[in-house]
Amino acid sequence: MFPRARATVEHQARRVADLGVRRHLQGVGGDELFLPGTMCLHGLLRRAPAAALPHVRALRSKRRWSMVTTVRTMAAAPSDRRWLAAEADGLAADRAWGSGAYWEVSAKLPPWITPDAASTVRRLMREAITAGPEPLAALPVQHEMMWINRVNSTVMRRNSSIGAHAGVSFHAPYTDDRVLEAVLSVRLADRVATDRLKPVLARALDGIVPPEILRRTGQDDASPILYAGLRRRRSELLDFAENTRLAGLGLVDGAALRRLLVTTRADTRPLMPLGELASSAGVTRPSSIARASMSVFVGAGRPTWAYLTRARLMYMSTVCTDTPMRRATEALDMDWNPYSNDARSCWDR
């Protein structure tokens, strides 16, 4: 799932092992379970419109959505299959980041992908849809929580496998089945609050966690760290954009990639697929340039990259790894493991 994650996990494991720690607790899954997102507000709007509207307005402001985008996102109510089909049709559409979510976070192609590569991704998604993937729950908000919990659990098991080399195991209590069941039983109206970031979690940890943490209304942004790495490696990345074989294969528009690398923007999400792009570069040329792409994210950690086990997945890996893409990959049985060179499945079936 996260091809740049291995270097980070290895670095964390070595650091905590040096301190004599053998079990490392992480908060993975906390945002997905306790931070009310688009699907939560979508469901609440249909059950308690008056309670939902203030939060919809806040979401619109946070995402910088237009009124049209907000209404279209909140009014949509397609079946899972219809929604997936619409996602495939709109992969290359110029739409606001985070909009169009209903069953899951909407897929969005990175700005450097070529039309031919986009067509291939669209075809693969349509093939996956014909396989008939079913949602995990009848309600989109519950489907999203269950699916992300499954993904996070798989990631944590992979992390423990990586950390085992240093004698460290990783644990994420929020991915436990009992925790998921408890959160799914909470009414949507009780999951939102104007004065708390994660009201359900704050209530559960009242008296355990310092009050100033429970009262927080926002989260830190990692954009400065990303831009620091980008500045440090910009020349190598620009050289990669100029000479990448992925452009010769018809996957990457080098000029569009260069524009992205030299532009500073408030929204860093268009930069996030750089990890997947580096994974693809590792397939065709495991060079220092691919390592540079990884080190934008891992900093001082030893950079590594994923070797994809099927050539056609290279198309998929140039795409931002949003959930419809992952489900399409799963349905097509495209087995790969971003943490080693093995051909093991990244998904536990």
Side-chain angles (χ1 to χ4, degrees):
M1 177 183 173
F2 305 121
R4 63 180 177 275
R6 180 167 190 138
T8 303
V9 173
E10 289 177 338
H11 179 71
Q12 289 176 338
R14 289 194 299 269
R15 290 292 299 272
V16 299
D18 290 343
L19 297 173
V21 175
R22 291 295 174 260
R23 292 183 178 87
H24 184 51
L25 292 179
Q26 294 187 315
V28 172
D31 286 353
E32 291 84 349
L33 293 187
F34 299 104
L35 188 64
T38 304
M39 269 64 79
C40 176
L41 297 183
H42 192 283
L44 181 59
L45 193 62
R46 282 149 178 76
R47 288 161 177 77
L53 284 176
H55 301 286
V56 172
R57 285 196 292 266
L59 180 67
R60 179 195 173 198
S61 177
K62 179 181 179 181
R63 299 285 178 85
R64 297 184 176 90
W65 287 349
S66 67
M67 180 61 72
V68 172
T69 296
T70 305
V71 171
R72 183 184 297 119
T73 299
M74 290 297 158
S79 66
D80 179 61
R81 179 168 292 198
R82 285 182 56 197
W83 179 79
L84 282 171
E87 287 296 293
D89 293 338
L91 277 175
D94 184 15
R95 60 188 177 191
W97 286 88
S99 66
Y102 183 68
W103 285 91
E104 299 162 7
V105 176
S106 288
K108 185 177 176 69
L109 292 173
W112 57 73
I113 195 168
T114 64
D116 284 346
S119 296
T120 300
V121 174
R122 190 178 297 108
R123 176 177 56 79
L124 292 175
M125 278 196 70
R126 286 170 178 162
E127 290 177 10
I129 294 168
T130 61
E134 295 292 334
L136 300 176
L139 293 178
V141 60
Q142 292 185 334
H143 163 81
E144 181 199 29
M145 293 168 64
M146 294 170 68
W147 177 256
I148 294 298
N149 190 72
R150 176 192 291 183
V151 172
N152 285 335
S153 298
T154 301
V155 170
M156 292 309 301
R157 287 192 289 272
R158 297 291 186 256
N159 287 356
S160 285
S161 177
I162 296 169
H165 298 292
V168 174
S169 60
F170 291 84
H171 303 268
Y174 295 141
T175 64
D176 186 86
D177 286 347
R178 304 290 82 78
V179 175
L180 176 62
E181 290 172 0
V183 176
L184 289 173
S185 69
V186 177
R187 296 183 308 171
L188 294 179
D190 295 330
R191 292 188 60 199
V192 297
T194 56
D195 60 342
R196 295 285 177 91
L197 183 67
K198 302 174 183 178
V200 174
L201 185 60
R203 181 66 179 271
L205 298 180
D206 189 20
I208 301 174
V209 174
E212 58 271 20
I213 295 179
L214 299 181
R215 288 195 298 265
R216 68 192 182 115
T217 58
Q219 291 180 298
D220 289 338
D221 180 50
S223 298
I225 299 174
L226 188 151
Y227 275 120
L230 184 60
R231 284 194 299 271
R232 186 168 59 250
R233 298 287 190 172
R234 195 188 306 274
S235 61
E236 294 167 88
L237 292 170
L238 287 172
D239 180 64
F240 167 73
E242 186 70 30
N243 301 295
T244 176
R245 289 184 60 194
L246 296 178
L249 292 172
L251 298 174
V252 171
D253 181 337
L257 179 57
R258 287 193 297 276
R259 286 195 298 271
L260 183 72
L261 292 172
V262 299
T263 303
T264 301
R265 59 187 71 218
D267 188 350
T268 59
R269 280 173 291 189
L271 291 168
M272 297 310 294
L274 277 174
E276 285 67 43
L277 182 64
S279 302
S280 302
V283 174
T284 58
R285 188 184 61 165
S287 66
S288 60
I289 300 303
R291 296 187 180 93
S293 299
M294 304 307 295
S295 63
V296 167
F297 297 94
V298 303
R302 181 168 62 85
T304 59
W305 60 90
Y307 283 88
L308 310 183
T309 63
R310 297 191 185 182
R312 63 177 178 168
L313 191 55
M314 187 157 56
Y315 289 102
M316 303 294 283
S317 66
T318 61
V319 182
C320 187
T321 51
D322 285 324
T323 329
M325 295 302 179
R326 296 197 296 268
R327 275 212 282 167
T329 302
E330 184 179 48
L332 284 168
D333 193 29
M334 293 168 140
D335 295 344
W336 65 295
N337 181 1
Y339 300 113
S340 74
N341 296 338
D342 300 337
R344 294 174 297 169
S345 174
C346 184
W347 309 106
D348 293 343
R349 292 181 172 83

